[in-house]
Amino acid sequence: MEELALTDEQAKALIEILKYILRKYKVDLSPGKRGDILLKSIDERHEFILNYSTSKYRSDKISIHIREKNTNLSLVRVNIDPNGFHNNSDGVIKGNRILVFSTEEFVNKDDGFTHVKAYPLPECFTNPNDLEQVFLDFLVYINVKREGKIEFVGLV
């Protein structure tokens, strides 16, 4: 079996590190849009990529995740999709959810790929119906200091 380049403890520490946005971004969350935002830890030892994408056909669906740049492993992902689901090794999580890095899930799934475990969306995501708010709540969840570097393009 392959091994992951991170442990659960290392992934948790990377999620909790204070991060900042390297430049200004215009984030467009209208249907069918996607983008990347480069992040760096305050001590400049770690780099991250925050990816987001919205469904081309549905205005209530978004995926946002952060991955560690060197390993390219997903640390945390939020899926806002009231109709979607994720198959964990121990059962299905339906609806809006958060997926967190898990070596245990990697071992249990034994597919050589899946290294996240899904959970119901935490209550700190204050309004899953508002994609901008979900995006902002995600930044807080992964400990990003915004400093006015995110501007949302008007939703159509």
Side-chain angles (χ1 to χ4, degrees), residues 1 31 45-46 77 79 93 100 105 113 130 139 142 154-155:
M1 171 183 281
R45 292 179 42 214
H46 302 282
R77 183 172 81 221
N79 285 358
I93 300 295
V100 181
E105 189 68 5
F113 177 75
D130 180 339
L139 293 178
I142 62 169
L155 293 176

Side-chain angles (χ1 to χ4, degrees), residues 24-133:
K24 288 190 173 195
Y25 290 89
K26 287 191 177 195
V27 174
D28 186 350
L29 299 179
S30 57
K33 299 298 181 177
R34 62 181 55 233
D36 297 330
I37 295 175
L38 301 176
L39 306 173
K40 191 175 264 194
S41 62
I42 289 294
D43 65 7
E44 299 193 358
R45 292 179 42 214
H46 302 282
E47 293 181 331
F48 306 88
I49 299 173
L50 184 149
N51 304 106
Y52 63 92
S53 63
T54 58
S55 170
K56 186 174 182 178
Y57 303 106
R58 290 180 39 201
S59 62
D60 65 341
K61 186 175 176 181
I62 188 171
S63 176
I64 310 167
H65 81 274
I66 183 172
R67 56 190 165 91
E68 199 270 336
K69 190 173 178 184
N70 290 332
T71 63
N72 203 34
L73 292 172
S74 182
L75 300 173
V76 179
R77 183 172 81 221
V78 165
N79 285 358
I80 300 300
D81 180 3
N83 304 320
F85 64 92
H86 180 85
N87 286 317
N88 285 335
S89 60
D90 61 356
V92 176
I93 300 295
K94 295 180 180 179
N96 298 334
R97 58 208 174 276
I98 191 164
L99 298 92
V100 181
F101 181 93
S102 170
T103 56
E104 180 181 356
E105 189 68 5
F106 181 75
V107 170
N108 290 343
K109 282 285 263 240
D110 195 23
D111 62 5
F113 177 75
T114 305
H115 61 275
V116 293
K117 183 167 183 164
Y119 302 91
L121 192 67
E123 290 183 15
C124 62
F125 287 85
T126 57
N127 186 356
N129 298 317
D130 180 339
L131 298 186
E132 281 187 24
Q133 189 59 53

